[in-house]
Amino acid sequence: MKLSNIAKHACISVALVSGLVVSGTASALQPGGGGSGSSCSVTRASGSGAVFYVPRGGSGTYNILGWGNGTGGFSSTYRGLLTAAAEECVLVAAATTSSSGNGRAVESAVNQAKSRYSSIVGSNPKVCTSGHSQGGGGAFNAANRLDADCVIAVQPDTVFTTRIDRAVSSDTDVVCIFSSADTLAPAFPLNGSNCRRNSSRYTQESTSGTHFTPISGSGGAVGTKMREYINRWLVD
């Protein structure tokens, strides 16, 4: 990797690790600015290498969003974004690792959620894999491991920090969300084409914001677009 690219991703790591470390105990969370359809309160609980954002309310039965962090980040870095996602009445199973590109940690988090929360997710919940930057690229790899129904990749890096190992299933819905002021993982010239090449059912979205928008509050325009697809694909 060229020195300039190493510097760029070192900056990502520094910014992402600035979030608070996740507590090992369950705690009730305040609303994080979910979309207009949100109706669930959220409790956060720790697992093995995973943190769960558990909804309460709505139908009482929930599908699962598996989450992978950006390089150097942790689930607490995205606490506002993930709380807002869970408020849409989905169970968020977030890996705690700062290196989520291969999809294994997200696979583990989702499988733990299926077992631990079987009473509220049922025997065959829909699963969508998601993540930011390295985790966004890794969402494709996690989807293949889990045979996921959908992928919501947030500003995915598919060039420097991870590679998409193979195309997802032909019946897996995919959206890649990019931002107009993102200079670290822009759609052009490679990330958008890599996403498209590895999906048969592909949508590409462009929002305002920089690469660090998802770690602030509920994620700005990026978070709004992410929740739009959560509602479209995971909220029954």
Side-chain angles (χ1 to χ4, degrees), residues 70-122:
T71 304
F74 302 93
S75 61
S76 58
T77 308
Y78 302 94
R79 182 167 175 165
L81 181 74
L82 299 182
T83 300
E87 286 174 350
E88 302 298 328
C89 297
V90 298
L91 195 157
V92 177
T96 58
T97 181
S98 60
S99 301
S100 57
N102 60 25
R104 293 189 183 96
V106 175
E107 177 189 26
S108 174
V110 169
N111 285 335
Q112 286 181 63
K114 287 181 177 180
S115 175
R116 179 170 177 171
Y117 298 105
S118 59
S119 63
I120 60 172
V121 301

Side-chain angles (χ1 to χ4, degrees), residues 21-27 44-46 51 76 79:
V21 176
V22 174
S23 168
T25 59
S27 58
R44 188 171 61 113
S46 294
V51 169
S76 58
R79 182 167 175 165

Side-chain angles (χ1 to χ4, degrees), residues 121-160:
V121 301
S123 60
N124 189 32
K126 293 178 184 176
V127 173
C128 209
T129 55
S130 187
H132 176 232
S133 196
Q134 179 182 163
F140 285 80
N141 298 328
N144 280 323
R145 291 180 172 278
L146 290 160
D147 191 24
D149 299 277
C150 46
V151 172
I152 302 174
V154 177
Q155 300 171 333
D157 177 25
T158 63
V159 179
F160 299 116

